[in-house]
Amino acid sequence: MPPSPTPRISRTKRLTRSAQVANDIKRWIVQSHKKVGDKLPQEAALIQQMGVARGTVREALAALQAQGLITTSTGPNGGATLTQPPYERCLEAVSNFMYFEPVDIATLYALRRAVEPELAANVATRLSDADLAELDRLIGASHPAHGGSGDWNERREADLVFHDRLADACSSPMLALFCRLLNDIIRRVIVVRNAQQGFQAFDDDVFHSHSALMDAFRARDAERARAVMREHIEQTEALAMEAETRVQRERLLMDS
Amino acid sequence: MPPSPTPRISRTKRLTRSAQVANDIKRWIVQSHKKVGDKLPQEAALIQQMGVARGTVREALAALQAQGLITTSTGPNGGATLTQPPYERCLEAVSNFMYFEPVDIATLYALRRAVEPELAANVATRLSDADLAELDRLIGASHPAHGGSGDWNERREADLVFHDRLADACSSPMLALFCRLLNDIIRRVIVVRNAQQGFQAFDDDVFHSHSALMDAFRARDAERARAVMREHIEQTEALAMEAETRVQRERLLMDS
DNA sequence: ATCAATTTGTTCGTATGTATC
DNA sequence: CGATACATACGAACAAATTGA
């Protein structure tokens, strides 16, 4: 019998007990100023403190785990530990959201054209020597004449990883998040046909643009990096629109 | 006894049984080309098909429900129904992701400066007369001399809702998603002090810029709308940086 | 390195509430 | 009203994983 300990009216929406427990735990996290790595009370303690059954507590913890806020471990001194929610949770949420929505290539690239120059300007003064070396390696891997794979899709992947690495170096988590989301949506959704025949223009453009970007990065010139990136995305956009592309929505829901 | 119907080795990463069931259901959704409104098999059928316990199936369905992919209803012919995942799931995921990350106002506005002009250009040729009327109403509500509230926070909210309405009219779900996410993060995170004293410059700027936007919208001039919006965000950004603002991260975790 | 204690993970059973037809 | 079928909550037992003596 759920005795409803707080006789709230709650005529609009009834919150389940596990959801209440989950919110209480969240509130406890905020008010206790808990940080990543701190441990939550164990199941037994939560059962006592909240006065609910074990299944209810576990359901609440499962909700927090599904949001990526905690991980749990077994054994003595085990239990739930606060963690930084992984990027994959955001990607999953956005992928689910977009699955039933129409996706078109033009606006995806329009968005890239808006945010990627900002990313280039952000990282221009922040890239370490190791970062620059890794980017150089990826540039090579994206062109067949400079050590890249013979498979067009693998070269395309190296191109996208180049942009992912820039996002990794970004000082703004939100800007990095948007750029990575765009990269992954493009990765999952866009399929380019006729990849083999006569598409070396794509390889050449990527190689040339990325190399120009590296020059701006090494000069620590944020504004030049921004301009080069804008031009790069515009060219890529034009080539993508010109090629026979199609949207493959199915992959959005998978790989969770 | 877990009979493990598919004797997969899975040495790399052990997935919980409920997660496997959730993925199997997702795969079934994709392969069956299910659309919003279609019904999933009932619990009893899933228990039989998957060969797992009731609790496991319920946990898997709870995961899909947490992702907003299904809603469940009771009664005869009840069960799980496919739904369009709500925007709130994306906001929740991004909010959780950002909670432990540093948030600064400058880069949030830099992002707005990148995407909002794109939004303005997108909707310029799409706004209906009803949309334009609603936007006019919100412009009035955002200025104390044109019917707006005396409370500074309420006027600020009208300003943000104006931008939300533009996102609602956007033809690109991804662009709309980014703009709404930015609006909500700004809504939750940024607190402006000294709101009462001498900040009519903010009201005036918003009123003037939004009005200029409406002119461009009525003229169906996408490029002018883009330019006006860019200038608007830049001015707002400058005013926000000038004011005594601070970041209140706590609200990111709450209101789930 | 083995073994025992601890803690979470999984499954089952049961009862009751609740919405739908 | 009443039958159906899901929703929620509790309790118990056992399995699995981890830690530490």
Side-chain angles (χ1 to χ4, degrees), chain B residues 126-136 214 218 220:
Chain B
R126 296 174 43 83
L127 290 166
S128 68
D129 288 342
D131 292 333
L132 294 171
E134 167 73 356
L135 292 174
D136 274 331
M214 295 302 289
R218 289 210 166 80
R220 307 295 185 200

Side-chain angles (χ1 to χ4, degrees), chain A residues 40 49-50 56 84 88 95-96 100 118 124 134 139 143 162 169 217 219 239:
Chain A
L40 268 61
Q49 291 173 23
M50 310 282 189
T56 309
Q84 159 78 288
E88 281 72 23
S95 297
N96 288 340
F100 296 110
E118 208 64 37
E134 167 73 357
I139 290 178
H143 198 284
F162 180 92
F217 290 156
L239 282 172

